């Protein structure tokens, strides 16, 4: 039962977004958190930029210098045998690894959920040591009148999870790191369960290389503990390489429905679903044996990093999941599916 893709896809390609500075270009617009606010659909986009090349022999890499309080540019020669440019997402040089672009978070607004006006300037940009390689993949949850934004803070120290909040999407309060490296893919549940806040997250074991979904508990959204493993990869399945949460969990009559991403050993990213117990969200009730959505359209197969579907946000409205997703790590797209159709095809555990 596939998602129905919008005929307007890609909704927001890189060329539709203004660079944050004149000497930069936007290379990717993707992985947006979404919320409905005052009658509008708001997206917090991940916008990845890099310097406009000054010479074909050089690869220019942007880095936020926390000491100087500004972005600096590192130059690497493409003919340097000590440099590895084989993965377009990274530059590896003399034992160091850099991201080839620097990401910030940009706000976009829409009245119909399809046609968006993207603001010209970042809503949030890298601002400290832990964000020196960028801020990525925001997810928005509305709790008690406040919009909380969990996002990845990337630096040479690793990928940590930071938290921000806003009431108006004009000013943002930054609350700092809530989960230390290496961690990604945090989805905070939209309500307390038996008096506690919960969040899915994806720690990474450097020694064993496992990238699986865990659950954490908190009294206040800032301090997290009681970590428990929820689910892992499955050999010979579409999610054999890694798994991670994607959308904010959605309460249904059968439990918490979570759209998650999985990748195989070839880094082909697809989307599936898992159903978690309503009162004990560490218990998996059912899970997708087949992907709900896989890279098929040209804009999903080909791009900055092809064969990738990745979502950070969806609206649960009209009995549907209205999902905004990144395609090939390049553009922002839209698709929808009936919640009942997802629930009907999940395999019990």
């Amino acid at each position: 039962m596939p998602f129905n893709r919008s005929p307007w896809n890609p909704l927001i390609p890189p060329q539709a977004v203004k660079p944050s500075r004149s000497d930069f270009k936007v290379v990717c617009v993707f992985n947006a958190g979404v919320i409905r606010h005052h009658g509008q659909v708001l997206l917090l986009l991940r916008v990845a930029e890099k310097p406009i090349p000054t010479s074909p022999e050089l690869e220019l890499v942007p880095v936020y210098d926390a000491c100087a309080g500004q972005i600096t540019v590192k130059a690497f020669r493409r003919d340097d045998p000590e440099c590895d440019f084989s993965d377009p997402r990274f530059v590896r040089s003399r034992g160091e690894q850099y991201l080839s672009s620097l990401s910030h978070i940009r706000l976009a607004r829409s009245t119909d959920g399809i046609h968006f006006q993207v603001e010209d300037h970042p809503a949030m940009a890298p601002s400290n040591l832990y964000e020196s390689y960028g801020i990525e993949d925001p997810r928005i949850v509305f709790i008690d009148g406040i919009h909380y934004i969990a996002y990845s803070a990337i630096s040479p120290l690793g990928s940590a999870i930071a938290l921000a909040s806003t009431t108006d999407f004009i000013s943002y309060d930054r609350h700092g790191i809530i989960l230390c490296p290496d961690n990604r893919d945090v989805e905070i549940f939209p309500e307390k369960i038996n008096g506690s806040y919960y969040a899915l997250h994806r720690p990474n074991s450097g020694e064993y290389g496992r990238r699986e979904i865990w659950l954490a508990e908190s009294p206040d959204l800032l301090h997290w503990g009681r970590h428990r493993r929820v689910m892992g990869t499955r050999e010979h399945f579409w999610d054999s390489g890694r798994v991670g949460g994607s959308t904010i969990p959605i309460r249904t009559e059968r439990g918490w429905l979570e759209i998650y991403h999985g990748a195989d050993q070839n880094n082909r990213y697809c989307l599936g679903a898992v159903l978690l117990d309503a009162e004990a969200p560490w218990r998996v009730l059912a899970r997708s044996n087949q992907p709900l959505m896989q890279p098929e359209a040209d804009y999903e197969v080909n791009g900055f990093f092809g064969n990738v579907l990745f979502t950070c946000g969806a609206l649960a409205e009209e009995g549907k999941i209205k999902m905004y997703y990144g395609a090939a790590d390049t553009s922002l797209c839209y698709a929808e599916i009936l919640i009942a159709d997802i629930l009907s095809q999940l395999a019990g555990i």
Side-chain angles (χ1 to χ4, degrees), residues 181-184 202-212:
D182 267 336
N183 212 316
R184 298 185 74 99
R202 207 286 309 277
N204 179 44
S205 169
E207 186 172 355
Y208 296 104
R210 292 179 178 171
R211 298 177 180 182
E212 304 178 331

Side-chain angles (χ1 to χ4, degrees), residues 5-324:
R5 293 165 170 82
S6 170
W8 295 96
N9 282 348
L11 299 189
I12 309 176
Q15 58 267 29
V17 178
K18 182 180 178 180
S20 64
R21 46 192 275 182
S22 61
D23 59 335
F24 276 25
K25 62 179 180 179
V26 174
V27 291
C28 309
V29 181
F30 56 135
N31 299 2
V34 61
I35 202 78
R36 191 174 288 276
H37 179 70
H38 292 171
Q40 293 184 315
V41 176
L42 303 186
L43 299 177
L44 287 179
L45 301 160
R46 175 182 168 186
V47 175
E49 298 179 307
K50 62 188 308 179
I52 297 172
T54 57
S55 167
E57 290 81 23
L58 296 179
E59 178 73 17
L60 302 180
V61 172
V63 176
Y64 178 78
D65 186 331
C67 293
Q70 63 182 13
I71 296 172
T72 60
V73 175
K74 294 182 177 294
F76 300 90
R77 289 194 60 86
R78 287 202 155 270
D79 59 0
D80 187 342
E82 299 273 350
C83 294
D84 179 2
F85 305 101
S86 60
D87 189 321
R89 299 170 297 178
F90 307 106
V91 173
R92 298 179 176 94
S93 175
R94 296 168 175 82
E96 297 291 336
Q97 177 170 288
Y98 303 88
L99 293 184
S100 61
S101 62
L102 187 70
S103 291
H104 65 259
I105 295 172
R106 191 87 64 99
L107 182 68
R109 301 176 182 269
S110 174
T111 56
D112 64 3
I114 297 295
H115 302 90
F116 284 87
Q117 293 293 321
V118 183
E119 294 188 350
D120 288 344
H121 303 287
M124 293 193 295
S127 64
N128 58 59
L129 171 66
Y130 307 108
E131 301 172 353
S132 56
Y133 284 2
I135 56 178
E136 305 177 353
D137 302 348
R139 292 167 170 90
I140 312 167
V141 63
F142 184 65
I143 299 175
D144 296 334
I146 298 174
H147 299 277
Y148 291 94
I149 304 149
Y151 62 93
S152 296
I154 315 298
S155 76
L157 303 173
S159 174
I161 299 299
L163 187 70
S165 64
T166 183
T167 57
D168 55 13
F169 290 93
I170 297 173
S171 61
Y172 299 83
D173 295 323
R174 309 279 274 264
H175 304 292
I177 302 298
I178 58 172
L179 290 171
C180 66
D182 267 336
N183 212 316
R184 298 185 74 99
D185 302 330
V186 165
E187 298 82 28
I188 299 172
F189 285 68
E191 60 189 70
K192 285 185 173 181
I193 302 172
N194 298 321
S196 294
Y197 297 105
Y198 284 89
L200 299 171
H201 63 108
R202 207 286 309 277
N204 179 44
S205 169
E207 186 172 355
Y208 296 104
R210 292 179 178 171
R211 298 177 180 182
E212 304 178 331
I213 298 175
W214 287 57
L215 186 79
E217 187 175 342
S218 173
D220 57 6
L221 297 173
L222 296 177
H223 304 89
W224 294 88
R226 298 193 69 188
H227 300 274
R228 304 180 226 202
R229 180 182 181 272
V230 175
M231 60 185 252
T233 57
R234 296 177 293 184
E235 191 174 2
H236 306 307
F237 280 75
W238 60 276
D239 51 5
S240 61
R242 68 179 67 184
V243 293
S246 286
T247 63
I248 298 300
I250 299 163
R251 181 181 277 279
T252 73
E253 60 184 13
R254 290 177 53 188
W256 292 102
L257 179 63
E258 168 68 12
I259 304 299
Y260 76 95
H261 62 271
D264 60 18
Q265 304 301 326
N266 296 315
N267 281 325
R268 184 173 184 264
Y269 279 72
C270 302
L271 298 174
V274 61
L275 189 68
L276 305 175
D277 187 276
E279 300 301 315
W282 54 89
R283 294 178 182 164
V284 175
L285 304 180
R287 182 176 175 180
S288 298
N289 280 337
Q290 300 296 326
L292 292 176
M293 191 173 178
Q294 54 192 335
E296 294 175 345
D298 177 70
Y299 52 82
E300 298 165 352
V301 174
N302 300 298
F304 181 77
F305 195 76
N307 283 311
V308 172
L309 301 180
F310 195 98
T311 180
C312 291
L315 300 173
E317 301 175 340
E318 303 165 355
K320 301 176 182 178
I321 288 181
K322 301 178 178 180
M323 184 182 70
Y324 296 85

